[in-house]
Every structure is written in C-alpha cells, then in structure tokens.
C-alpha cells in the first residue's frame, strides 16, 4: 500500500526527517491536497501550485521558523500553510472564523510578516536581517520570495537598492513565471525573458550591478537542484539573489494553460480541472463590467479618453478597452504611485484619464493623489473598484477606508453610485468636463439590474454634481445612505411593515454634500440614521455630523458602517451581518426605533 507522506508532516521538523529522494512524492501529495481543497472551498490556486517544490525546499533546507521566511503578496503561500501546522484546518481557508488566505503574524510563528499587497517582502526581510545583525545574530537566515510582477514595483526596487549597500544576510528569491494575476508587463519583464532565454550578456546583469550575489536562472520544479543551490547560498554572507523559473498552475493542465482564469477559479472538478460554472442567466452585471463596457463606449466617441490600471486589466475590466483601443489603455504593472502621477501628467495635456485602481490599492498612492493630482486640481477620474467589504480576501483587501482618506483632501469630489445606471451616468458626466478630480467608488461583485445592458447601456444622462435624491418619503425617521449599501436599505424597507414611517435619501455625492437636502432633513426629522459600507471614523456619517455641528442642529443621529476594527475574512453577507448593515439587521433596527 502506498504511504501518504503528507499526512505525517505536521510541521517542517517532520519534513526534515525525510530523505531527499522522498521529497518529490511529498510535492505530488501537497499539490493534490491543494487542488482537492481549493476545488471545493475556492481560493487562490495557480500561484500556490507553481511554488510547491520551492516551498518544500525552503522548509527542508532552512531552519524555519528560526530562519525567517517572507512571502510576497501571499497568493502562493498555501503549501507553506499546509506544511506549517495548518494542514488539518486548511479546509477553513478564507472562511469566516477560519485561517486567512494570506500569511498573518497572529496566525502562526511561521508567518513572519503579514502580507496581501505586493512588493513588501524585500523591505521586510531586509529589516529583519539588519535587526538580526544589530542583535549579534549573524547566522540567522532571512529569505524573501517575490514574483516577477511584484519585483517590478517601485517599493521592491527601493528594497533592492538599500540591500545592495548592506552586508545583511538576505536571500531574495525571484519566482519568475511571467505572470501576476494578469501577464506581467514592462521593460523588466523583457529583461527577465532575455535572461531566461540566454540572450542577455552576463556583464549586463542588473541584479549583480546592485551588489547582489546572483545565481540562476534554475528550474524551480527541480527539487534536487533547488536544495543543492539553497544549501550553497546558506553559507554565503551578504545579499544574495536566486532567480528560479516556474510554471503558474503547475500540475493541473487547465491551470497551466489558462493561468489568468485559474488564479482564483472558484469551484472546479479536482480530477479533471474543469470549472463548475454557475449559470449567469438573468443575473445583474458585475460593476467592473459596467465600468469596462461604459468606458469603451465613451472612448469610441471621445478620442481624449485614456484608461490606466496598475496590473488589474481583467479584474477592473479595462481589458475591454485594451483589446479594442490598445493605444489608449495602459496596464502599468504593480505601480499604483506611477499610475496616479502618469494620469496627472496626461491630464495636464487635456486628456480625460480614468485611473482604475482597487480601493485598497489606492492607499499605496495617497501622496500622489494629494500632491500630484488634488493640489494641482487636475481632473483625473479615479475609479475605485472593490470599494467596501470584498469578502474572503479579508482585512488586506477591504476597500473601507477610501471615503475617510479622500474626504480630507481639498478639491476632491467623491461619488458612490447606488446602482449600475448611476455608475454609467457618472462615468459619462465625468468626461464632459469637471473642474476637479473625482473618485467614484463601487463594490466588488454584481449590481441589482439584470437587464441593465439591454435596457440602459449607452443611454446616458448628465448628473448634477453634489445632488442627493429622496428615494422614499416618511414621517418619523430619515435614513441617509451612500452607494450600493442603499440597496440593503431599500430591501429592508420593503420587508418592514411600518415603512411609511421611514424616509430614505440616497447621497451619491459624499463630497460635496447636498446641503439643501440636509437642511430639509434636519428640519423635518428628529431621528436620522446614516449608513455606508465604509469605516464610520471620518466617513459619510462623520460628514453629516460635521454638518449638524456647523449648523447647530441637535437631532438624534446614528451612524452605521464599518466599526473601528480591521474586519477579517468571510462572505460579504456574513461581514455585513457582523457590522449590522445587512438587510435583517436594518429591519430589526427599524422595528426597535418605531417603538
């Protein structure tokens, strides 16, 4: 009977008891274990399959957790989690109350640094290495594993630049598979391709020129070669750089052949790899597709329109425009700061620039938003996809801070559409000409109008800047919502028996606020409830409170939204329940208030 080696590996100590010739069997079992669990529970697949051999080699050669291993982004860390005391609860990955989909310091001593955004590993591992030196520990190893898409980011270069002038005991491993979520882009990708193909002269090695001991490229799926090279590098002092070549999705044919789709494929058949497709018939469109289809339609009619995304052409649906008008749609790689200032530069020349960045990633370009765009009052159109709670990716990816961090910036307009029509119309309005930059925030997932594309797409109406809307009149309580969470309010009022008591106002503009409507609300309702799918500290509700204080109103105001804690992973509905902004919680609140 064939032995199951993986079932006897609780942590890397057990792994190191095996003979080296047993490790390919461990790799096969680990790969199958990941496929079996992710096929049912969903999650990130291709990246972890691609580094199975590397993961085993790292934990076999290095004395983790004493030696410190830092993963970049964390999409590829499933094998690491399984080998480090989390195999038995790996089935809870990304589920509420379960383990995180990314390395997380509070979860395990083997997770040396919390990650989720890219390009942080080199700086973090270098910080650890310098700290070890200062403490007199010159034997501890510090390893950063980073992909070819992440290493093209400015922060990674900053880390390399600093590391090259130290004698820190740092090993940077470049996991080069020519793809992040979408295929890698840029001059560095071309350089790495030339290196892999042997077309780059040795004297032109840019990593060596940064004072790293460079080795590679080597086959990242060749366990004996990996182990031999890691053992050699263990005994070399100072900054080292190992270039390995891997295949994303290795071991599952479909994941190798369609690396974009199998990055996070949803449920699939573990035996065949075939996706278990859900019927999309009669479903509302995804907000990202409303953006993508609308900007393409507008760009066909207006040759000044430009689209920019930092490495998210598929996720943002800018790919529609990139396919049809490639000369005016740019994927700049994982480079949010560059994306924002590139947009600013284009705006100075009269271009109409839609800069599409996930809400959580715009945080990385906050200075550029203030200094390069808002200070110069350039009318860049920021399209913030994945605003609000995003679900299973958890705390690193929730787009819940954007209202608070953008509201403080002079000249900034902030708009949150309640549905697909509102999103389409603000995208149309923005290209007619604005006097200020605007941030349009919209959620992950689907809208609420199944027939949007048939009935509404392409039928544009200009939106008046700063105008709120009364969606429903009422006698006792006014609910003020902003953005798509207003649909929860609509649904709750449909379920609530005394809904005639409650008025509902949609405030798509968080900045500027509609002061005329607010004066009317505060004059006619003693009790006011604000709701937003964003942090309550400094958000839409705070803006309403500021209005009340400025105008000396004493009404009873309750603010609903994301509390002052980092929200972990779970489904969006579960997390809304946690924050008491789901439909059922709102019905209960209305019932309590009416008594």
């Amino acid at each position: 009977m064939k032995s199951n080696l993986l079932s006897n590996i609780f942590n890397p100590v057990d792994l190191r008891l095996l003979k080296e010739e047993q490790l390919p069997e461990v790799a096969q079992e680990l790969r199958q274990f990941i496929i079996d669990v992710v096929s049912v529970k969903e999650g990130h697949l291709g990246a972890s399959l691609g580094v199975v051999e590397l993961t085993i080699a790292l934990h076999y050669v290095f004395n983790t957790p004493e030696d410190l291993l830092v993963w970049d982004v964390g999409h590829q860390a499933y094998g690491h989690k399984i080998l480090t005391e989390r195999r038995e609860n790996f089935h809870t990955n990304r589920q509420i109350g379960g383990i995180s989909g990314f390395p997380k310091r509070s979860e395990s001593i083997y997770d040396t640094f919390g990650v989720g955004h890219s390009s942080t590993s080199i700086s973090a591992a270098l910080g650890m290495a310098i700290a070890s030196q200062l403490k007199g520990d010159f034997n501890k190893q510090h390893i950063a594993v980073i992909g070819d898409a992440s290493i093209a980011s400015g922060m990674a270069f900053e880390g390399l630049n600093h590391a090259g002038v130290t004698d820190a005991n740092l090993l940077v491993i470049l996991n080069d598979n020519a793809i992040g979520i979408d295929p890698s882009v840029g001059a560095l990708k071309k350089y790495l391709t030339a290196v892999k193909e042997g077309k780059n002269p040795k004297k032109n090695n840019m990593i060596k020129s940064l004072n790293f001991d460079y080795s590679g490229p080597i086959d990242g799926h060749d366990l004996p070669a990996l182990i031999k090279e890691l053992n050699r590098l263990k005994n070399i002092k100072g900054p080292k750089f190992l270039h390995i070549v891997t295949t994303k999705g290795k071991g599952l044919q479909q994941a190798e052949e369609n690396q974009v789709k199998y990055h996070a494929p949803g449920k699939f058949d573990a035996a065949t790899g075939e996706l278990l497709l859900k019927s999309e018939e009669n479903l509302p469109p995804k907000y990202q597709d409303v953006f993508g289809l609308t900007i393409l339609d507008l760009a066909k009619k207006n040759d000044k329109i430009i689209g920019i995304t930092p490495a998210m052409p598929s996720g943002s649906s800018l790919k529609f425009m990139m396919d049809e008008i490639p000369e005016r749609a740019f994927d700049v790689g994982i480079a949010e700061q560059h994306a924002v200032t590139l947009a600013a530069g284009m705006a100075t020349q009269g271009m109409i620039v839609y800069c599409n960045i996930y809400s959580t990633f715009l945080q990385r370009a906050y200075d550029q938003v203030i200094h390069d765009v808002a200070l110069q009052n350039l009318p860049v159109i920021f399209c913030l996809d994945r605003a609000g709670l995003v679900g299973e990716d958890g705390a690193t990816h929730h787009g819940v801070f954007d209202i608070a961090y953008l509201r403080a910036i002079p000249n900034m307009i902030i708009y949150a559409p309640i549905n697909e029509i509102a999103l389409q119309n603000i995208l149309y309005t923005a290209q007619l000409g604005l006097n200020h930059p605007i941030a349009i925030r919209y959620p992950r997932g689907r809208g609420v109008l199944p027939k949007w594309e048939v009935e509404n797409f392409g039928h544009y109406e200009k939106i008046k800047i700063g105008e709120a809307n009364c969606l429903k009149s009422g006698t006792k309580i006014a609910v003020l919502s902003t953005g798509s969470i207003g649909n929860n309010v609509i649904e709750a009022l449909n379920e609530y028996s005394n809904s005639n008591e409650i008025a509902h106002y949609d405030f798509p503009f968080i900045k500027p606020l509609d002061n005329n409507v607010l004066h009317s609300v505060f004059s006619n309702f003693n009790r006011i409830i604000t709701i937003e799918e964003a942090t309550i500290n400094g958000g839409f509700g705070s803006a309403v409170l500021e209005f009340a204080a400025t105008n000396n109103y004493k009404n009873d105001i309750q603010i609903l939204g994301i509390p002052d804690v980092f929200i972990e992973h779970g489904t969006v509905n579960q997390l809304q329940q946690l924050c008491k902004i789901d439909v059922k919680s709102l019905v209960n609140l209305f019932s309590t208030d009416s008594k």
Side-chain angles (χ1 to χ4, degrees), residues 43-112:
H44 295 105
L45 179 69
S48 285
L49 294 183
V51 293
V52 162
E53 288 82 7
L54 176 64
T55 304
I56 291 168
L58 286 168
H59 284 296
Y60 192 72
V61 171
F62 294 103
N63 186 31
T64 53
E66 283 73 22
D67 289 334
L68 301 174
L69 173 59
V70 182
W71 296 92
D72 209 273
V73 186
H75 290 145
Q76 70 275 49
Y78 287 4
H80 160 80
K81 291 201 169 206
I82 293 161
L83 294 177
T84 55
E85 304 179 355
R86 286 165 280 184
R87 172 172 46 81
E88 291 181 359
N89 61 350
F90 184 68
H91 65 281
T92 69
N93 184 47
R94 303 173 83 245
Q95 296 176 45
I96 195 163
I99 65 172
S100 169
F102 300 98
K104 185 176 178 183
R105 278 171 54 81
S106 61
E107 188 178 291
S108 171
I109 56 170
Y110 292 92
D111 292 359
T112 60

Side-chain angles (χ1 to χ4, degrees), residues 321-356:
M321 184 177 173
M322 290 175 69
D323 288 343
E324 288 203 38
I325 317 176
E327 69 277 10
R328 287 196 277 134
F330 301 91
D331 175 3
V332 299
I334 303 174
E336 293 86 1
Q337 296 177 350
H338 167 61
V340 170
T341 304
L342 178 71
M346 289 183 171
T348 67
Q349 302 305 303
M351 306 309 281
I352 300 165
V353 191
Y354 292 82
C355 186
N356 189 303

